[in-house]
Amino acid sequence: MSDNINKTGITIACAACGEKFNDLTALATCSKCGGLLDITPALPALCSEELQNLFDSRVSITAMRGSAVGRSGVWRFRELVLPISDADIVSHPEGNTPLLERPAISKFAGVKNLLIKHEGFNPTGSFKDRGMTVAVTQAKRCGATAIACASTGNTSSSLAAYGAQAGIPALVMVPAGRITMGKLAQTVAYGARTLLVRGDFDDCLRLVRESSEKLGVYLANSLNPFRIEGQKTIMFELLQQLAWQSPDWVALPAGNLGNTSAFGKALREAQRLGLINRIPRLLSVQASGAAPFAHDFADNFAKRTSVRAETIATAIRIGDPASWDRAVAAIRFTNGVVTSVSDEQIMQAKQVIDASGVGCEPASAASVAGVRELVARGIIAPHESVVAMLTGHILKDPEKLLNTNDAYGHAAVNAPIEIDATLSAVERVLQSATKA
């Protein structure tokens, strides 16, 4: 363990061997055994009601008129994330994402009390900003000269944006030909040096981990424990929006399993601090073409498997999830369920979400498709309260919106119509729309 003094009160330790690290570490994994690092925040010296009131006070009009840090939906919970001064924090701000209710989505899913939490309302259009504000803040604290990640797209655009804000050069590795135009455009525009790797996401992650170990760049994938600390705040904010009353279920897409891990950790801490009096069950939903975690769940996590991933849901097209160990603990702690849904089920759910005026990228729709699947199987009851996470903005994957035929040869639901520049042509379209 380093001799540096821990100034924040947090404890950083390897989950596998117990080796401890100081709070200025630049490591993403244990230097002794390669295991994942866990962060334990110092418990605030406040009772549960005082802590709830503290967090609630930071959503006031006064707070919203303050600095970026004061307006952040991540740093609102700093006592449970990383208790440092405002001057050290890199924030857009992020968080404060809406909790939505749409009858059409509830009807499709088969659940009366369904709410949608849309993380696509974050600055770069995905939940990744929650973890990245903390990871890049830590990179700044430890004096990193470069930051890097492997990505299917969302992580790269988030890293690029926060790296630009912090003034730290960013390097991203993405699978060549397997990243959507919207995500690639963001990454390039924000100034990250972008490497198109001939391989899949898992090849990119292997390469960026080697770069971190051999070249000294700061690794910002969800292996990084500070990413998990930021992503915990999705759950904290959700509970706060529900007046600290837990729903029965929280459903989320599952790829590299960072969110599954973060949600389980957040719920464990919320229970320990008395912020909630019961634990919601987690439902982690994978695409059937990229479902090693669902396979392992069916086998009671007897062993860890990997697959060569292939799915239309690019954000969760991952065959060897990095946060497997943490996610197993989260599912077991919450008595959770892991399932998989087909690409067709995902796109059916996306059509409903889009047509309700909410919209999301394909991977996000896996959460709603998973709820529908578990209702059909009798695991989720129609009367239970459910929150489904949408993790990315609709414009993250615009190609899927503009194809005149979908992946299954079906005509697009709302394909653009070319007309002559005449009023009669407009009238015919209006008449057909009214009849529909």
Side-chain angles (χ1 to χ4, degrees):
M1 186 173 96
S2 171
D3 293 331
N4 289 343
I5 296 172
N6 185 327
K7 297 179 180 179
T8 60
I10 66 173
T11 300
I12 305 175
C14 176
C17 73
E19 181 75 3
K20 290 187 172 149
F21 300 85
N22 72 77
D23 67 355
L24 289 176
T25 183
L27 295 173
T29 56
C30 179
S31 55
K32 184 176 180 181
C33 75
L36 297 178
L37 302 183
D38 283 339
I39 295 176
T40 304
L43 292 178
L46 297 170
C47 72
S48 58
E49 186 176 352
E50 289 172 333
L51 199 54
Q52 289 173 347
N53 290 338
L54 173 63
F55 295 149
D56 290 349
S57 72
R58 294 174 179 164
V59 197
S60 67
I61 293 296
T62 301
M64 291 298 108
R65 289 173 178 163
S67 66
V69 174
R71 289 179 279 122
S72 171
V74 171
W75 297 103
R76 176 189 313 150
F77 306 101
R78 69 177 65 196
E79 289 81 4
L80 306 183
V81 177
L82 183 62
I84 57 176
S85 68
D86 288 9
D88 294 328
I89 293 172
V90 182
S91 174
H92 268 240
E94 48 290 308
N96 298 309
T97 58
L99 199 55
L100 309 172
E101 184 176 7
R102 294 293 184 273
I105 304 176
S106 295
K107 181 178 179 181
F108 172 80
V111 176
K112 182 179 180 181
N113 301 308
L114 177 68
L115 294 173
I116 303 293
K117 185 157 177 63
H118 205 327
E119 286 293 299
F121 281 70
N122 273 292
T124 72
S126 86
F127 75 92
K128 302 287 187 178
D129 296 338
R130 300 242 190 196
M132 204 59 71
T133 180
V134 186
V136 174
T137 291
Q138 178 66 3
K140 177 183 172 184
R141 291 181 71 236
C142 69
T145 56
I147 51 179
C149 73
S151 180
T152 58
N154 285 331
T155 302
S156 65
S157 53
S158 184
L159 177 77
Y162 281 85
Q165 184 176 349
I168 305 174
L171 179 70
V172 303
M173 301 181 194
V174 298
R178 296 167 72 85
I179 178 174
T180 69
M181 190 59 66
K183 297 172 185 178
L184 182 60
Q186 280 184 290
T187 304
V188 172
Y190 294 141
R193 184 57 61 92
T194 305
L195 305 182
L196 305 177
V197 178
R198 288 185 284 271
D200 61 12
F201 170 82
D202 300 304
D203 294 317
C204 294
L205 183 58
R206 172 186 52 78
L207 189 57
V208 79
R209 291 185 71 172
E210 291 174 0
S211 300
S212 177
E213 292 166 5
K214 305 287 177 57
L215 305 178
V217 296
Y218 180 88
L219 179 62
N221 279 94
S222 57
L223 284 166
N224 187 315
F226 290 94
R227 278 277 308 277
I228 300 299
E229 295 306 289
Q231 287 165 220
K232 289 188 315 187
T233 65
I234 303 173
M235 183 61 71
F236 292 147
E237 186 176 274
L238 166 62
L239 294 169
Q240 184 179 42
Q241 289 170 317
L242 296 175
W244 305 103
Q245 299 299 308
S246 299
D248 293 312
W249 291 85
V250 176
L252 66 154
N256 216 22
L257 305 180
N259 270 346
T260 299
S261 304
F263 287 13
K265 191 173 190 294
L267 290 169
R268 190 184 299 273
E269 291 173 5
Q271 182 189 54
R272 189 171 74 241
L273 291 164
L275 294 173
I276 55 175
N277 55 26
R278 69 186 182 99
I279 301 295
R281 299 180 71 182
L282 291 182
L283 168 59
S284 293
V285 186
Q286 297 202 287
S288 57
F293 195 54
H295 177 274
D296 296 345
F297 172 79
D299 198 27
N300 199 30
F301 299 124
K303 62 179 180 177
R304 177 175 179 170
T305 59
S306 61
V307 300
R308 182 62 72 172
E310 189 54 61
T311 171
I312 198 170
T314 57
I316 54 175
R317 191 162 59 195
I318 296 169
D320 189 14
S323 292
W324 190 90
D325 292 338
R326 294 169 175 154
V328 169
I331 293 299
R332 285 177 170 161
F333 173 68
T334 63
N335 188 27
V337 174
V338 186
T339 194
S340 63
V341 290
S342 68
D343 281 2
E344 187 158 14
Q345 287 175 294
I346 288 172
M347 294 308 290
Q348 286 172 347
K350 174 175 162 55
Q351 287 180 351
V352 174
I353 294 165
D354 292 352
S356 73
V358 174
C360 66
E361 69 169 323
S364 294
S367 61
V368 173
V371 173
R372 179 182 169 94
E373 172 73 15
L374 261 62
V375 171
R377 288 164 54 187
I379 297 173
I380 294 179
H383 68 270
E384 289 189 288
S385 58
V386 182
V387 177
M389 295 288 168
L390 302 183
T391 48
H393 195 277
I394 189 173
L395 294 180
K396 283 288 191 172
D397 201 348
E399 294 93 336
K400 302 294 188 302
L401 300 173
L402 298 177
N403 289 339
T404 54
N405 290 284
D406 66 21
Y408 311 99
H410 305 150
V413 173
N414 189 31
I417 302 169
E418 186 173 341
I419 65 168
D420 294 326
T422 65
L423 184 61
S424 60
V426 176
E427 183 180 21
R428 284 195 297 272
V429 173
L430 284 174
Q431 288 174 345
S432 64
T434 303
K435 290 177 182 177

